[in-house]
Amino acid sequence: MLGEGAFAYDAPGLTPVTSIAEHAETPAETTSSDIAAETDEAGRLFRMCLEGLSPALAQRAEVLEILDGLIAQSDAETAGTAKRLCRELRALEPAVTMIGQVKAGKTSLVNAMVGVPGLLPADVNPWTSVVTSLHVCPQEAELPYVARFSFFEPEDWDRLTRKGGRVGELAGRSGAEEEAEKIRVQIEAMRDKTRRRLGRKFELLLGTSHEYGALSQELIERYVCLGDDFEDEAAGPDSQGRFADITKAADLNISRPDWPMGLCLRDTPGVNDTFMMREQITIGAIRDSRLSVVVLSAHQALSAVDMALIRLISNVRSREVIIFVNRIDELSDPVRQIEEIRESIRETLRAHHGPHESQIVFGSAHWANLALKGDLSVLDDEASEVLLSYAEHVASRVEREFGALELIWWLSGVPSLYAAIWNRVTEGAARERLQSVSRAAMNLATGLSATVSVSPDEAAAACDGEIDISSMEQALGVLEGQVMSELDRALQASLEAAGQRLERAHQSFLERATAALVQHLDCYGEMAPWSYDPAGLRLLLRSGFQVFARQLRGAATASGTAAAEQVSGIYARALDRQAEEFSIQPPVPPRLAPPVLIGQTIALDLKGNWWRRWWSRRRGYERFAPEFHAMIEAETRPIVTALKAAHCEAAALEIRQSLQGFFDDQRAILVNIGLRSRGGGTPAEQSGPSSEALAEAMARLSRFAA
């Protein structure tokens, strides 16, 4: 019997799986029962969250309909390609990273957003740095697992335990011996505790993962939650938090057959972290997502204390950041206070160069979870009065009828948050996927038209009885070599220019910071405190990356356009037609991930006691400047290096792979054309769709390909 607020979940038709970690212990069997049957009321609540998705769904449905038409009328090879495009379109799973302040209620909000109150534990181990990805699955698919928990790689663990993570490295560079010793003692205590808890299998678990075919609250808490007294020798494999210290990521599949599109919600550990490991993991999650939701507490709003948070989101476009102000249920007068909080947030973001134009949504995860449970009895008189007052204010401004629970769900802000998410998905990830699939489908239809638009007599006259696929493939190969070589040269030039630009920015910052220190010493002496704001470095690095991004997109567009135009010419020459009759669509340039790592914490951001002690231990101008220069050089060098590799070089590789994929697709289309021209396939497959049907399909697809 599950306790109140607990749950268990078993994916439909999924056979439970055990650990895939070689030599690791077999995880204990989990509870296997269905999530409590969703009430009609809860179903209505979630339908309110899908209203903003209608445009994207309508567009997807039309493209799928066109592809189904091509599948029905094409040969087996062409139909296989069209089916692959259908799968690509249906497989879209936009990722949203949830980040926020400590105690802002972020995890409770995530639980409400997937409709399972109590799914993720709100109180996590302060050592734990787990990104929990909730994959909302729209169809009853045969999932490989319901839950997967991945452990740190040995090198991740070594960096933490040997060097103390980012803070330990910083303390070592700065000579803050006392801080370094404190960190060493804390980490050794954690490491010893972990070894006692996991025994000899501890090292074997690193770099592996555990997978499960069923899900329960106890299972999740075993990997991501703060446990009880682990010193207890009787603590078994089911102990709460047993694997929490070494768990790096959790992936949970939540099946919602009524959900029309996949969505991934990433609950991050935040950026408040003794060793800055959480900050590094959160940076990675933001980089890999299309959208970030910053969860703030209505009591805290946003202040300079949250500079680590502001620095990260400052490197993401305003349109890709949504701010959710939680816990308005705890305000005494939400109607009046909300506008004050809104202006305070915008002013703080403006003052610190954050995304001040981001949409701000107000709500209450507490209200959302109460609505899902259908139980308002926990509200006392004061809380009920706040809710009623706010309900009257909102209801008077919304032109729709609400039931009691629907109104509370609306007031919770979850429907408004989803509306903002779907709006950005429609403009961003969904549009890009539709564009990419539509262009590929148009090229597929163009290939089909090459065989149906030419009469047998014309083909015989132009090509000695059949289309000369060999010559077309040879011409395509020559073109591919030329275009890819030109692209490689353009990419290399952009990378070299970006490297030089970033290095100049870095060196300029170091020189200016050191000069400012010397000037301070000349004016005030070495006993006066001094600090230096690294915002200038971040601004220069961001600007340098943006220049690179524009150059890269320009190179990708130019190469793709040239390739498409010349492939059209290959078709035209082979069939003795005008190039305009065979319009080939260029590939869609991939999106460049935002350079979030520019916002990571460095020594100059910290104002703690260790920095003052570092200053007080130096004597003599000749020691200050060189040591300061060396320390900040060591602190900021990894940012520049990672910016080059993890962003610039990775983006160039993605663009190259995109264009290579275009040529691979064209080669496959030519193979299909060759089979059809030689009479391959059944008579029905040989006939294929009519020229009129292909023209109509391409005209409809062109609306999404533009």
Side-chain angles (χ1 to χ4, degrees):
M1 181 68 180
L2 294 173
E4 183 179 357
F7 71 94
Y9 174 56
D10 194 13
L14 182 66
T15 302
V17 291
T18 56
S19 170
I20 65 171
E22 187 177 3
H23 305 302
E25 63 186 44
T26 301
E29 182 179 354
T30 62
T31 307
S32 299
S33 64
D34 293 331
I35 283 181
E38 188 177 76
T39 64
D40 291 340
E41 185 67 43
R44 282 194 294 272
L45 299 184
F46 261 87
R47 283 192 289 275
M48 292 169 64
C49 295
L50 299 175
E51 295 171 358
L53 191 54
S54 299
L57 294 177
Q59 293 169 0
R60 184 182 71 173
E62 184 173 353
V63 174
L64 289 172
E65 178 191 347
I66 298 169
L67 288 170
D68 286 341
L70 289 176
I71 292 169
Q73 301 178 68
S74 300
D75 59 89
E77 293 294 329
T78 304
T81 302
K83 289 177 181 177
R84 173 178 61 80
L85 294 175
C86 286
R87 290 193 296 271
E88 286 183 16
L89 198 51
R90 291 193 176 99
L92 175 65
E93 186 194 60
V96 179
T97 292
M98 313 290 290
I99 59 178
Q101 298 168 314
V102 174
K103 301 300 182 182
K106 171 172 54 66
T107 298
S108 296
L109 175 63
V110 172
N111 290 340
M113 291 178 71
V114 297
V116 189
L119 172 65
L120 301 179
D123 296 322
V124 297
N125 188 332
W127 300 100
T128 301
S129 300
V130 181
V131 171
T132 304
S133 297
L134 300 175
H135 304 272
V136 183
C137 306
Q139 64 274 344
E140 304 239 358
E142 287 294 321
L143 302 172
Y145 55 82
V146 169
R148 180 177 63 192
F149 302 94
S150 303
F151 301 125
F152 281 110
E153 297 292 332
E155 54 268 27
D156 295 327
W157 184 256
D158 285 345
R159 185 185 183 194
L160 173 65
T161 57
R162 295 180 189 276
K163 299 182 179 180
R166 284 266 300 125
V167 169
E169 293 169 0
L170 186 156
R173 280 194 288 267
S174 67
E177 294 84 1
E178 292 180 18
E179 260 61 25
E181 177 62 18
K182 289 178 184 177
I183 292 169
R184 187 188 64 77
V185 170
Q186 289 177 330
I187 288 177
E188 283 192 359
M190 178 187 72
R191 182 170 53 195
D192 292 345
K193 182 184 66 175
T194 303
R195 288 183 185 277
R196 285 195 299 273
R197 186 161 69 251
L198 298 176
R200 60 183 178 82
K201 298 175 182 176
F202 162 65
E203 283 83 2
L204 296 176
L205 289 171
L206 295 176
T208 66
S209 62
H210 287 173
E211 292 188 354
Y212 297 85
L215 186 64
S216 69
Q217 195 168 39
E218 293 81 4
L219 175 67
I220 294 174
E221 290 178 350
R222 198 183 311 167
Y223 290 87
V224 301
C225 186
L226 172 64
D228 295 322
D229 185 4
F230 294 128
E231 306 299 327
D232 184 0
E233 295 294 333
D238 293 332
S239 301
Q240 186 187 51
R242 176 172 173 76
F243 301 101
D245 292 346
I246 63 170
T247 303
K248 183 176 183 179
D251 288 271
L252 311 179
N253 289 316
I254 308 297
S255 180
R256 293 196 69 93
D258 57 333
W259 207 256
M261 178 183 288
L263 182 69
C264 174
L265 296 176
R266 291 196 175 110
D267 186 23
T268 65
V271 295
N272 303 84
D273 174 16
T274 306
F275 311 116
M276 295 185 196
M277 183 185 290
R278 293 182 178 184
E279 181 181 78
Q280 296 297 302
I281 292 174
T282 299
I283 284 172
I286 296 173
R287 181 186 183 279
D288 295 337
S289 296
R290 293 303 305 266
L291 185 63
S292 296
V293 174
V294 181
V295 183
L296 308 177
S297 169
H299 294 295
Q300 294 175 268
L302 192 63
S303 68
V305 176
D306 300 295
M307 276 307 301
L309 198 60
I310 297 173
R311 283 196 301 268
L312 293 186
I313 61 176
S314 294
N315 296 287
V316 182
R317 292 189 306 165
S318 289
R319 191 65 181 159
E320 295 180 353
V321 175
I322 300 170
I323 297 173
F324 186 88
V325 182
N326 192 23
R327 296 191 164 177
I328 64 170
D329 57 290
E330 298 175 7
L331 297 176
S332 59
D333 185 5
V335 175
R336 176 183 58 81
Q337 293 171 282
I338 279 176
E339 290 309 312
E340 296 175 356
I341 295 170
R342 189 195 309 275
E343 184 51 38
S344 172
I345 292 171
R346 294 209 185 280
E347 180 57 36
T348 301
L349 290 174
R350 278 193 293 266
H352 297 285
H353 310 289
H356 62 274
E357 297 178 354
S358 299
Q359 183 174 349
I360 302 177
V361 179
F362 288 82
S364 164
H366 179 56
W367 287 345
N369 284 293
L370 291 181
L372 287 170
K373 295 175 183 178
D375 180 14
L376 306 181
S377 61
V378 298
L379 295 175
D380 58 25
D381 291 343
E382 183 178 353
S384 298
E385 182 61 31
V386 170
L387 176 59
L388 288 173
S389 173
Y390 188 58
E392 291 175 359
H393 173 76
V394 172
S396 66
R397 287 163 171 74
V398 179
E399 296 181 358
R400 61 187 300 168
E401 295 294 327
F402 289 112
L405 292 179
E406 286 178 321
L407 177 58
I408 296 171
W409 180 249
W410 183 268
L411 298 176
S412 76
V414 172
S416 297
L417 177 57
Y418 263 120
I421 290 172
W422 295 135
N423 179 270
R424 285 150 182 78
V425 166
T426 300
E427 293 179 352
R431 180 180 178 276
E432 290 170 12
R433 184 64 59 88
L434 280 166
Q435 186 181 44
S436 177
V437 168
S438 296
R439 289 188 181 185
M442 289 182 71
N443 291 342
L444 191 63
T446 297
L448 286 173
S449 71
T451 56
V452 301
S453 64
V454 180
S455 69
D457 291 340
E458 290 175 316
C463 312
D464 296 328
E466 64 180 38
I467 300 174
D468 190 354
I469 296 299
S470 178
S471 295
M472 295 180 73
E473 289 180 331
Q474 184 178 4
L476 182 65
V478 172
L479 174 63
E480 178 181 357
Q482 293 173 344
V483 173
M484 294 303 295
S485 294
E486 291 173 2
L487 176 63
D488 285 340
R489 285 193 291 272
L491 294 178
Q492 187 59 38
S494 295
L495 285 170
E496 290 177 359
Q500 294 169 2
R501 194 177 298 110
L502 295 175
E503 286 296 337
R504 285 197 302 270
H506 188 209
Q507 292 305 315
S508 174
F509 169 78
L510 291 172
E511 290 169 6
R512 285 185 288 107
T514 305
L517 172 59
V518 172
Q519 182 180 22
H520 171 87
L521 293 171
D522 287 337
C523 294
Y524 304 105
E526 59 193 59
M527 299 307 294
W530 178 81
S531 64
Y532 195 77
D533 188 353
L537 172 64
R538 293 190 169 99
L539 183 61
L540 289 172
L541 293 179
R542 188 185 313 152
S543 175
F545 180 80
Q546 289 170 346
V547 172
F548 167 76
R550 287 195 296 271
Q551 291 177 343
L552 217 61
R553 284 192 291 266
T557 300
S559 297
T561 301
E565 290 175 351
Q566 294 185 60
V567 169
S568 299
I570 292 174
Y571 278 109
R573 288 190 296 275
L575 301 173
D576 196 22
R577 293 280 186 168
Q578 296 296 315
E580 292 76 11
E581 297 182 42
F582 303 99
S583 179
I584 299 296
Q585 300 298 311
V588 178
R591 165 187 176 266
L592 273 64
V596 190
L597 60 85
I598 292 175
Q600 75 177 32
T601 304
I602 62 175
L604 292 175
D605 297 314
L606 303 178
K607 309 301 181 185
N609 291 332
W610 73 268
W611 178 253
R612 290 194 292 272
R613 284 199 295 272
W614 178 89
W615 179 265
S616 65
R617 289 181 185 139
R618 271 67 190 164
R619 288 293 179 269
Y621 292 8
E622 69 281 358
R623 293 191 61 194
F624 268 108
E627 289 190 31
F628 172 80
H629 188 286
M631 183 182 70
I632 302 305
E633 159 75 21
E635 269 288 289
T636 52
R637 169 57 58 188
I639 298 177
V640 177
T641 301
L643 197 56
K644 293 178 184 177
H647 286 270
C648 296
E649 292 175 9
L653 179 60
E654 284 187 53
I655 284 174
R656 195 184 193 286
Q657 291 173 338
S658 174
L659 189 58
Q660 183 63 63
F662 167 82
F663 281 111
D664 292 343
D665 287 345
Q666 289 303 312
R667 191 170 289 106
I669 290 172
L670 291 184
V671 171
N672 293 342
I673 294 173
L675 290 173
R676 292 173 61 85
S677 70
R678 290 191 294 270
T682 66
E685 289 176 336
Q686 292 175 34
S687 62
S690 66
S691 297
E692 292 77 13
L694 289 171
E696 180 186 356
M698 286 191 282
R700 294 174 66 190
L701 288 168
S702 65
R703 294 191 297 109
F704 305 105

